[in-house]
Amino acid sequence: MFAPLVLAAALADAPTAARVPERLRPAVPLLVAEAGQGSLLFAQVEPSPVDAGEAFVSVPDAGSAASAEADAGVEPADAGAPGASPSRATPDAGAEADELDPRHTTVVTASRTERKLEDVVVPTEVITRAQIEQQGARDLAQLLEQHPGVELVYTNRGTGIRLQGLDPEYVLILVDGQRVAGRSGSLTDISRFSLREVERVEITKGPAAALYGADAIGGVINLITKEPQRPFEATVRAAGGAMSHAAGSSPTGTEADLRGNVGAKLGDFGLRLGAGYRQRDAFDWDRSDVATSGPKLLREDVDLDTTWKPSERTKAWLRGAYVFTDLGGVDINDTGAIFDRYQRTEQADAWAGAQTRLESDTTVTLRAHYGYFRDQFLLDQRSSRALDDYSQNRTRLGEGLVQGDQKLPFGHVLSAGGELYVESLVSNRIDPGNVQRNRFGLFLQDTWATSLGATRLTLEPGFRFDQDSQFGGAPSPRVALKVDPLPSLTVRGSWGLGFRPPTFSELYLQFANPAIGYVVEGNPALEPERSNSFELSVDWRPPYDGMLLSASAWRTDTRNLINITVDKAPNPDSPSVFNYENVAQAYTQGVELTARAKLVKGTWLELGGMLLDARDVTRNRALEGRSPVKLTAQLTSKYRPLRLEAFIRGSWSAPRPYYLGNGLGFANVLGFGADKTVYAPAIADLELQVGWAFR
């Protein structure tokens, strides 16, 4: 536990959001003072297993939702038509009036064309720039840690995200509508996504394979980057803090975070340059041994974004980004051997695109993306080389997209396109050591809006067919319906099929650990996993200012689920063999409830709850690691005459089941040995902030 002291100062044209702790247990007082012009001071006590406190200087981004109202001439795109760009953010005027109500925000993820959030057929959740600033999150993992209906999965190779009970390999992460390179095994580490250049985060839960193809069974998370809106704008944020083993003890480590953006909009051209630096020492909650509880961290990132918009109908953009990360820690195994653990990742991406809207109400979009990801992992045994281990993986990803959107008579908007996807992996842990996968997909979607008396209907059928170089053809149909029987009531329903081809590791992994006595082998005969999903949601806006009640229910059935199997207990004299097989069927189903109400002027309360039933049908037991209950609450209050703001949010997750087998603690698979069910304890988080702004 540590207790950092935080000092902050800000220069701005609009209020700056203060820092929100990443994780608090237990709840502690937090004092914040916030300024629009001048300086800002606040102190905070933050016991956290991960992050130190911070001191920061910040100038809010002119393109953010909180300050967009001040930018004259910025108009949102038409709700029913493809607007400026389906992959880039356009600030929404009026967002400052209620930062928690983004209904009029323009979104793209659910339909791949620009629509107002309240008009989309598939339920979509949006976290605006104003909310990102308010929470003070430094990366995507921190931002989503307490988001309703979201679970984070922590591993020693990064942090993944679970939606509707489906693991990270079933959730597709996008930046401006395109995939990103770099998976450690089957997990995309969301903690490496900085929010410095993000205008908003869009979350679509449930099947999205009809638009995005493979790996979108559980949903899609799309990070939309921002564009300069003023002749000159800049943001600088600096953070620092110290960690200690317990309250009152001497510091045992430090953390520093520095990031910034500069941008300019000159005539038809826009330019933005951003960079970030983050450093953290390793920390340890148990001083009885040399093992560390959390890794040391060094992260550096930079990105460059250029846009050209000669008219309201035509636009082109080019963007590049690079992220360098070093992690390190100390581990001890059951025999007492000590290991120094190092992991280094490098990620480089380049995006290019152009879009034009013709006089015939036809919008044509071209996009391309190239990504490179290098992952190095070293396990160095102290005083011995017997158990040393080094691996290096290099992933290359290429994408190309052509999309057309056409307004048709009788309320139809037709979207069609083709997408090419090429992925390759070079690794010393797979056989063969160099593999490649190509996939070509065609998609078609029709959005038809009509009215039957006072009832408004929107029907959105879609179909996608992917031809995979390894697994052949895969159809992914989806049908979605939105019904507005009353101005205050909206009902949405969707059904869809999805698929996930095996990862390169599941197909080709070849790894041996003779010291413990096991071998892991991939299975080239694996088949893709298939899913059948449906979702139903209801939104009701009672006749009370600002009140919204939402409920959703879903179920996803998965077949050909890929599981790990083993022939016997690990033994150095006769190694056991672990491999992958399509042996299991599973389902996840649940209910999610949210309520939002305006208590008094300037004060909002949001409550959320998720009930989850996730079950392995083959083994007749609950799926590991899922919390059956998660509750969230958030209270935000502003008193404008005194320029005071308070923010508090918390979450509680019920205990999660795990299964231990007889053999050296290895999980029981397919009846190997008796298993024992253990439960990870419940998790409670609380974040609190009080701010004062002066000009």
Side-chain angles (χ1 to χ4, degrees):
M1 184 178 295
F2 66 91
L5 177 65
V6 184
L7 298 178
L11 296 174
D13 293 321
T16 303
R19 165 75 174 119
V20 178
E22 177 181 357
R23 178 172 295 189
L24 299 181
R25 81 181 86 180
V28 292
L30 173 64
L31 297 177
V32 181
E34 185 172 357
Q37 290 182 348
S39 62
L40 171 84
L41 298 176
F42 70 94
Q44 119 185 359
V45 179
E46 181 186 357
S48 166
V50 179
D51 286 314
E54 61 183 54
F56 64 83
V57 179
S58 177
V59 180
D61 301 295
S64 70
S67 60
E69 191 176 25
D71 298 321
V74 177
E75 294 292 339
D78 177 48
S85 166
S87 63
R88 308 305 304 278
T90 301
D92 295 308
E96 189 177 13
D98 180 6
E99 297 167 356
L100 300 179
D101 185 7
R103 285 183 299 160
H104 301 295
T105 300
T106 302
V107 297
V108 298
T109 306
S111 60
R112 241 176 174 165
T113 59
E114 284 197 336
R115 304 266 169 75
K116 292 298 182 184
L117 180 60
E118 59 187 352
D119 295 328
V120 296
V121 183
V122 178
T124 301
E125 301 168 20
V126 175
I127 304 176
T128 65
R129 184 66 200 179
Q131 293 170 308
I132 294 173
E133 293 286 353
Q134 182 186 59
Q135 297 178 25
R138 290 193 291 268
D139 56 51
L140 185 60
Q142 285 185 330
L143 181 68
L144 299 178
E145 186 174 29
Q146 296 186 5
H147 192 78
V150 171
E151 290 185 279
L152 298 188
V153 180
Y154 298 96
T155 74
N156 64 353
R157 305 299 293 271
T159 303
I161 187 169
R162 185 182 288 139
L163 293 179
Q164 295 187 343
L166 293 170
D167 276 333
E169 57 262 39
Y170 304 96
V171 180
L172 187 59
I173 308 297
L174 305 174
V175 175
D176 289 332
Q178 293 186 280
R179 297 168 183 254
V180 292
R183 288 189 294 187
S184 296
S186 58
L187 180 144
T188 299
D189 180 16
I190 64 172
S191 66
R192 74 172 190 257
F193 292 98
S194 169
L195 302 173
R196 170 176 42 77
E197 76 286 7
V198 174
E199 175 67 24
R200 67 180 184 270
V201 178
E202 300 179 8
I203 304 172
T204 300
K205 300 174 183 175
L211 287 178
Y212 296 100
D215 309 323
I217 294 175
V220 175
I221 296 179
N222 194 3
L223 282 68
I224 309 299
T225 59
K226 56 191 174 184
E227 303 173 11
Q229 299 295 323
R230 295 177 177 174
F232 176 78
E233 56 192 47
T235 299
V236 178
R237 181 185 293 264
M243 298 173 289
S244 62
H245 176 67
S249 62
S250 59
T252 60
T254 61
E255 178 174 358
D257 185 273
L258 177 65
R259 63 188 63 190
N261 287 296
V262 293
K265 185 178 181 181
L266 304 174
D268 298 337
F269 293 92
L271 177 67
R272 183 183 57 80
L273 174 65
Y277 172 86
R278 185 176 180 185
Q279 175 273 329
R280 182 184 67 218
D281 294 332
F283 54 90
D284 185 18
W285 309 137
D286 181 7
R287 293 188 172 183
S288 62
D289 54 42
V290 298
T292 55
S293 302
K296 65 179 180 179
L297 166 70
L298 173 63
R299 179 173 298 157
E300 300 168 345
D301 60 89
V302 63
D303 64 273
L304 177 65
D305 193 348
T306 61
T307 58
W308 177 55
K309 192 174 182 181
S311 70
E312 290 298 320
R313 292 180 172 270
T314 302
K315 180 179 179 180
W317 61 89
L318 180 65
R319 181 170 182 261
Y322 174 78
V323 182
F324 171 92
T325 304
D326 259 351
L327 295 172
V330 180
D331 300 325
I332 300 179
N333 70 3
D334 293 338
T335 64
I338 301 174
F339 300 87
D340 293 301
R341 172 171 37 88
Y342 306 94
Q343 182 182 8
R344 171 174 293 179
T345 63
E346 297 171 89
Q347 177 184 347
D349 290 278
W351 296 267
Q355 184 180 77
T356 185
R357 188 169 72 246
L358 307 177
E359 295 292 342
S360 59
D361 274 335
T362 301
T363 301
V364 179
T365 304
L366 304 175
R367 288 189 296 180
H369 166 232
Y370 173 80
Y372 174 82
F373 183 75
R374 184 186 185 193
D375 182 1
Q376 299 180 81
F377 186 82
L378 173 64
L379 204 61
D380 183 12
Q381 183 181 5
R382 294 185 182 179
S383 305
S384 175
R385 296 183 178 179
L387 302 180
D388 287 359
D389 180 41
Y390 172 78
S391 65
Q392 178 178 217
N393 303 321
R394 288 178 292 167
T395 302
R396 291 178 172 85
L397 173 66
E399 285 184 288
L401 169 75
V402 178
Q403 179 176 335
D405 303 287
Q406 176 67 57
K407 274 188 173 183
L408 299 174
F410 307 107
H412 289 268
V413 177
L414 190 66
S415 300
E419 194 170 22
L420 177 64
Y421 170 83
V422 180
E423 182 183 20
S424 66
L425 172 65
V426 178
S427 174
N428 61 344
R429 281 195 171 178
I430 62 173
D431 185 19
N434 188 346
V435 291
Q436 180 172 308
R437 171 183 296 158
N438 307 323
R439 187 183 305 132
F440 178 72
L442 295 173
F443 61 89
L444 177 66
Q445 177 176 273
D446 177 34
T447 303
W448 177 47
T450 187
S451 296
L452 297 176
T455 300
R456 183 168 177 82
L457 302 175
T458 307
L459 180 64
E460 195 170 73
F463 182 83
R464 178 175 175 127
F465 185 85
D466 286 276
Q467 183 66 34
D468 191 284
S469 59
Q470 291 181 286
F471 301 103
S476 302
R478 184 182 74 176
V479 177
L481 176 66
K482 175 176 175 285
V483 181
D484 297 283
L486 299 171
S488 61
L489 184 64
T490 300
V491 180
R492 293 179 172 94
S494 63
W495 166 87
L497 300 181
F499 74 103
R500 184 186 78 89
T503 65
F504 288 139
S505 295
E506 293 167 336
L507 291 169
Y508 306 116
L509 183 65
Q510 295 291 327
F511 172 72
N513 192 332
I516 297 179
Y518 70 89
V519 175
V520 182
E521 295 181 351
N523 182 1
L526 287 175
E527 297 180 2
E529 299 175 324
R530 308 283 179 172
S531 71
N532 184 353
S533 305
F534 76 86
E535 183 174 11
L536 178 66
S537 68
V538 178
D539 294 333
W540 179 43
R541 295 167 290 278
Y544 301 101
D545 185 22
M547 179 171 287
L548 175 65
L549 303 177
S550 300
S552 64
W554 75 88
R555 180 181 172 106
T556 299
D557 290 277
T558 307
R559 58 184 175 89
N560 286 340
L561 192 69
I562 297 174
N563 270 342
I564 297 177
T565 62
V566 65
D567 59 349
K568 57 181 177 297
N571 187 331
D573 297 326
S574 178
S576 59
V577 178
F578 290 82
N579 55 31
Y580 300 89
E581 291 185 4
N582 294 109
V583 295
Q585 294 186 6
Y587 69 79
T588 66
Q589 60 185 6
V591 176
E592 186 175 335
L593 304 172
T594 59
R596 177 175 178 270
K598 183 178 181 180
L599 302 183
V600 295
K601 183 178 180 180
T603 300
W604 300 85
L605 175 65
E606 287 187 283
L607 301 175
M610 181 181 70
L611 302 177
L612 176 67
D613 175 24
R615 194 158 193 86
D616 183 335
V617 178
T618 301
R619 301 179 190 175
N620 192 28
R621 67 187 188 189
L623 290 174
E624 282 190 318
R626 277 80 166 171
S627 176
V629 180
K630 182 176 181 180
L631 305 176
T632 60
Q634 177 173 308
L635 180 66
T636 302
S637 182
K638 290 184 177 181
Y639 188 62
R640 297 188 183 278
L642 297 180
R643 299 179 294 278
L644 289 174
E645 177 180 343
F647 169 85
I648 182 172
R649 70 173 183 169
S651 67
W652 180 84
S653 299
R656 294 145 292 153
Y658 291 89
Y659 306 103
L660 302 180
N662 281 339
L664 298 179
F666 282 83
N668 174 42
V669 287
L670 289 185
F672 163 57
D675 61 13
K676 176 184 178 182
T677 303
V678 298
Y679 286 88
I683 298 176
D685 292 325
L686 183 66
E687 299 181 3
L688 173 64
Q689 168 184 301
V690 178
W692 173 55
F694 63 94
R695 298 186 182 277

